[in-house]
Amino acid sequence: MTCIYLIRHGQASFGKDDYDCLSSLGEQQAIHLGADFQRRGIIFDKVFRGSMLRHQQTAKGCLHAMGADESIVENTTVDAHWNEYDHQDILAQLKPDFATPAGVKQYLMQHKDPNLALHNVIEEAFSRWMSNDFSHQYTESWVAYQSRIELALKKVINQSDNAKHIAVFSSGGPIAILSQTLLNIPASNLMKVNWTLVNAGVTKIIHSKKGLVLSSLNDHSAFEGKHRHLITYK
Ligand SMILES: O=C(O)[C@@H](CO)OP(=O)(O)O
């Protein structure tokens, strides 16, 4: 039996020109999660991560804080199959002005409630992407993205080498899509899963002879109580 811990990256740089870099709160989340793993006696015998900077930074902070074995850290498998979709492209296909974070910001500022406006824009942009009606317009279609994430998990399983505890540092989309598939939730509800995922939250999949089971989703107990200030979604 293998436990695969899917770990969402710490808070990145939402609203900045380059989203793909942890904020200082994101760095704290990664360290706090690692310390919590250590407190609970969790030891990873294999590590995978996406190739995005936010995945790398989260893995580094977390593994260091949990005192992970150097050889495990050095042998981390970097696999771009675990990367997030290109949210900027998905937004830009809805409205060309959304091709840059500044364009999105300008649009949101025209609304009384920018958070609600952002929620609505994301819902609309993602349902367009997931409808597959315009798949040729995107740098990666919804169908291609789904297959990539399924393949990412298959590769982890194939390369597990009898590991008991595997960490995978990735993003909200891959975690949501695998949870949605394993729970048989209709794809149309993917965003409902995605919206709830906290930064540095942990989702656990168990792989055994019986197949794959989702054991826990979006565990963020490390951030509850007096650490509540570390909970973020974006
Ligand atoms: O890029 C995004 O829009 C988010 C949403 O899930 O992904 P990430 O988890 O990488 O922040």
Side-chain angles (χ1 to χ4, degrees), residues 10-13 16 21-31 230:
Q11 184 186 53
S13 302
K16 300 262 168 69
C21 183
L22 291 194
S23 66
S24 63
L25 185 63
E27 284 169 5
Q28 283 179 54
Q29 290 163 336
I31 292 169
L230 291 174

Side-chain angles (χ1 to χ4, degrees), residues 8-9 19 54 84-85 87 171-173 194 234:
R8 188 174 173 220
H9 61 83
Y19 175 68
R54 55 194 188 269
E84 186 56 294
Y85 42 65
H87 69 250
S171 275
N194 208 346
K234 271 258 168 264

Side-chain angles (χ1 to χ4, degrees), residues 146-158:
Q146 273 180 307
S147 322
R148 167 161 74 79
I149 303 305
E150 276 166 28
L151 180 61
L153 182 61
K154 277 192 190 133
K155 287 172 78 185
V156 166
I157 292 165
N158 291 339

Side-chain angles (χ1 to χ4, degrees), residues 98-142:
F98 295 162
T100 60
V104 178
K105 212 185 237 172
Q106 206 178 1
Y107 171 84
L108 298 178
M109 286 313 165
Q110 295 162 13
H111 290 77
K112 236 202 221 148
D113 186 341
N115 279 333
L116 180 64
L118 176 66
H119 184 279
N120 292 340
V121 162
I122 290 180
E123 290 280 337
E124 195 182 344
F126 277 75
S127 35
R128 184 183 189 274
W129 180 49
M130 292 166 68
S131 73
N132 282 318
D133 292 342
F134 314 91
S135 50
H136 58 283
Q137 295 174 356
Y138 295 89
T139 51
E140 184 177 36
S141 71
W142 161 245

Side-chain angles (χ1 to χ4, degrees), residues 65-82:
M66 68 190 289
D69 198 292
E70 257 325 295
S71 67
I72 299 291
V73 177
E74 273 166 23
N75 286 316
T76 294
T77 303
V78 181
D79 184 356
H81 281 85
W82 284 107

